[in-house]
Amino acid sequence: MTETCFLEGRGELREWRDAARRFLLAGIEPQHIDWRLRSEAQGLFDDDPSDTRDLAVTNPDRQIHVPPAFLKLADAVVCHSDPGRFALLYRLLYRLLQDRHLLDVKSDVDVVSAYKMQKSIGRDYHKMTAFVRFKELPLAPGVAGRRRFFAWFEPDHFIVARVAPFFQRRFTDMDWIIATPKGSASWDGDSLRTTTGPATKPDVKDDTEELWRTYYASIFNPARLKVKMMMTEMPKKYWKNLPEADLIPGLIAGAEASVIDMARRQASEPLPFHHRLQEAAARVPAMPAPTAGTIDALREEARHCSRCDLHCRATQTVFGEGPADARVMIVGEQPGDHEDLAGHPFVGPAGRVFDNALSLAGIERHRLYVTNAVKHFKYEPRGKRRIHQRPNMGEVQQCRWWLTQEIDLVKPRLIVAMGATALFSLIDRKDRLDDVRGRPIRMDAERTLFVTVHPSYLLRIPDEGRKAQELGRFHDDMAHVARLAS
Ligand code: URA
């Protein structure tokens, strides 16, 4: 005789576990259970034909002990959308009670299927953390309160309750709701709620969409484009809910032309005035004692800096820029190829990531004083290209001469170190960036330090999902900076 068991099947381990325990105590073998989803049974049976509570308990003393690895596996597998998952789990459970080491048999068909399902739950989780895009909901006129956001996402599996704590940690200081056809989650600053019912996609638009599009277009690097890898990382099925997705075909199509154009425009050689600058620098015999009383005078002095050898190959000094009394100073590592030619900090690809993070955080760049730990571009010529090289400790120490004076003259209340070089330059210690990242640190009575990653680090992350996550963290840091600066 076959027992039928109806479950909601929405990723709740307890639901399956309770039923499975009753079947085990009643001594029912896997082939005699028909596991069904209640949603599929609607209309077929008005009355639930089975209730596992009515099962005769034939073996009440049976001890059910399973290895912790099975519980972990089952916790993921019940979230899978395959209707066969409950039967598979029961088979495994039944067999595990006879062979405790079953999960180590990597060629076993049931074991393989379960681990495959677990893997696809992990993938779905990862995609949801990377591809959820929040849209801001307007507050009622005249109503003050926390900002409210909404996101629509279509996961493959019943993972909403599993992923919700991730979003709670990441977006603690805003109210949000994530709706999906497989349940929803919401956070109001106090409690995290999840539901399992399917939601329908509403039509919500806001300015953030345009920002995401601008952002994506600016970080898209045609030279690094690998279409196949990109499609694996960002499968097409997610595109319909990503505001930036409709840009992708055009960007891919234009990539080849862009690469050729980039190669043509590649900052391959210093500008023609490079030699004149070098000759002028060579004529300065030694560094004068600091005399500059203003930031403009200091900038002028720094044009002739020869404190270390980096000036010999760089086109020019790239000094800090911004209001002479800015409340916030941003410190990067050193000018890159574009900055070296333009003479301004953060105007290349890293600058675009930086600018986008600022606009998402509502910070106006023209209010910041933006500078670098090292003021000359350090590179290694490779063919026609100039490849960025990290400045060494000696170079950073020499250049601290300038940074210290910039800080003394501008007197910022908040200094933001982007990356390990900036951090070292500011505190003269090699602290691990992760240990100090993301929280205000008192430097002295007047100044606070805040540490985050360097935008170039984000550009170098090859995995699209991880890159999106790290960008999210960087945006959070900038939102934190905005709050500290206000
Ligand atoms: N990276 C930096 O640290 N500074 C710049 O100005 C540009 C790239």
Side-chain angles (χ1 to χ4, degrees), residues 22 49 54 62 100 102 114 117 220 368 461:
R22 291 193 191 103
D54 299 339
R62 180 165 196 183
R100 219 182 139 67
L102 174 65
M117 285 188 192
F220 180 85
L368 307 174
I461 301 175

Side-chain angles (χ1 to χ4, degrees), residues 150-461:
F150 171 85
W152 172 257
F153 188 73
E154 293 174 32
D156 289 339
H157 306 293
F158 298 98
I159 55 164
V160 173
R162 227 175 149 76
V163 194
F166 166 88
F167 288 99
Q168 180 194 354
R169 285 192 301 278
R170 271 283 312 280
F171 301 105
T172 322
D173 52 1
M174 63 195 217
D175 290 0
W176 52 259
I177 172 161
I178 303 173
T180 92
K182 293 186 167 66
S184 303
S186 65
W187 167 250
D188 62 5
D190 264 342
S191 46
L192 179 67
R193 293 195 182 83
T194 55
T195 60
T196 54
T200 42
K201 183 177 180 178
D203 186 16
V204 188
K205 259 196 163 292
D206 76 351
D207 297 344
T208 336
E209 279 208 357
E210 209 33 55
L211 219 51
W212 271 110
R213 291 167 55 81
T214 316
Y215 182 54
Y216 188 79
S218 73
I219 63 164
F220 180 85
N221 183 348
R224 296 184 128 208
L225 176 66
K226 293 197 177 64
V227 178
K228 214 166 144 201
M229 193 164 126
M230 175 171 163
M231 301 302 280
T232 318
E233 283 302 325
M234 202 178 186
K236 263 200 164 156
K237 66 180 179 197
Y238 295 106
W239 289 22
K240 60 180 180 293
N241 295 317
L242 295 175
E244 69 270 29
D246 58 348
L247 297 174
I248 298 173
L251 290 171
I252 292 178
E256 194 182 342
S258 306
V259 172
I260 294 169
D261 189 44
M262 272 165 68
R264 196 170 46 72
R265 285 186 294 115
Q266 187 64 250
S268 51
E269 283 172 21
L271 291 180
F273 56 77
H274 177 75
H275 298 294
R276 272 189 283 130
L277 288 169
Q278 295 312 304
E279 283 154 21
R283 283 198 297 274
V284 179
M287 280 306 301
T291 51
T294 65
I295 199 76
D296 287 339
L298 189 69
R299 181 176 296 111
E300 184 55 29
E301 273 185 22
R303 281 195 337 115
H304 310 292
C305 179
S306 57
R307 292 180 64 83
C308 73
D309 287 347
L310 293 185
H311 75 284
C312 301
R313 303 230 319 238
T315 306
Q316 56 192 313
T317 306
V318 180
F319 204 69
E321 287 182 353
D325 57 353
R327 286 153 67 102
V328 182
M329 178 180 282
I330 307 280
V331 184
E333 183 195 73
Q334 61 159 341
D337 191 284
H338 291 75
E339 289 79 12
D340 171 75
L341 295 180
H344 305 287
F346 284 103
V347 292
R352 284 199 289 278
V353 176
F354 174 57
D355 284 344
N356 273 295
L358 291 181
S359 38
L360 283 168
I363 302 173
E364 292 168 307
R365 176 160 171 172
H366 68 87
R367 293 188 186 278
L368 307 174
Y369 185 90
V370 180
T371 191
N372 283 299
V374 170
K375 312 290 193 234
H376 281 120
F377 177 36
K378 179 173 181 181
Y379 63 93
E380 189 180 281
R382 196 168 303 157
K384 290 193 154 191
R385 302 180 55 206
R386 303 190 299 168
I387 309 296
H388 164 276
Q389 278 202 311
R390 209 171 188 188
N392 61 34
M393 274 170 66
E395 288 150 356
V396 176
Q397 276 158 344
Q398 286 298 338
C399 225
R400 191 180 288 134
W401 158 278
W402 299 112
L403 183 60
T404 308
Q405 292 186 73
E406 284 177 292
I407 295 172
D408 287 347
L409 289 168
V410 177
K411 299 187 178 44
R413 277 183 23 203
L414 177 66
I415 303 181
V416 180
M418 296 202 299
T421 305
L423 177 62
F424 170 66
S425 172
L426 286 160
I427 64 173
D428 199 12
R429 264 197 333 261
K430 289 195 117 185
D431 284 8
R432 259 171 47 88
L433 192 129
D434 267 347
D435 294 342
V436 287
R437 176 179 182 179
R439 61 188 159 84
I441 301 165
R442 267 249 161 265
M443 290 179 92
D444 55 38
E446 281 99 45
R447 270 184 285 276
T448 300
L449 173 67
F450 185 89
V451 182
T452 185
V453 291
H454 193 284
S456 301
Y457 153 74
L458 302 167
L459 288 172
R460 287 194 302 268
I461 301 175

